[in-house]
Amino acid sequence: MRRPVMMRNLFLGAALLLSHLMCAVVAYSYCTLEWGGRCAGYSAAPSAALVYLIPYGLGVLCCLALAWFFHRRAKS
């Protein structure tokens, strides 16, 4: 297997892992803020958990861009 193909697969796997991790973190934070607002008197809205989408989304986009770059290198 050539090196660009390995790197493409590595970054595609990293993007997939990050996207799944992002879903888990955001869902847990949302549920925690929802419970806290109802039972513990938290003042933050549950939608504040969506702020975690920004860094994870940037990481996923960077991994996908690198995978695309190595895909292009593998073709030539």
Side-chain angles (χ1 to χ4, degrees):
M1 187 184 280
R2 292 185 347 193
R3 189 169 190 88
V5 174
M6 272 186 2
M7 295 300 289
R8 179 196 65 196
N9 292 340
L10 176 75
F11 283 112
L12 281 176
L16 188 65
L17 181 69
L18 272 177
S19 70
H20 284 71
L21 186 63
M22 174 184 65
C23 291
V25 167
V26 170
Y28 179 79
S29 298
Y30 189 90
C31 290
T32 301
L33 287 173
E34 179 78 24
W35 175 85
R38 290 183 184 188
C39 301
Y42 291 1
S43 62
S47 60
L50 299 178
V51 171
Y52 285 119
L53 290 174
I54 297 168
Y56 282 105
L58 290 175
V60 168
L61 288 177
C62 287
C63 286
L64 289 176
L66 286 169
W68 178 77
F69 171 75
F70 284 114
H71 175 71
R72 299 284 292 176
R73 279 191 64 194
K75 287 172 76 175
S76 58

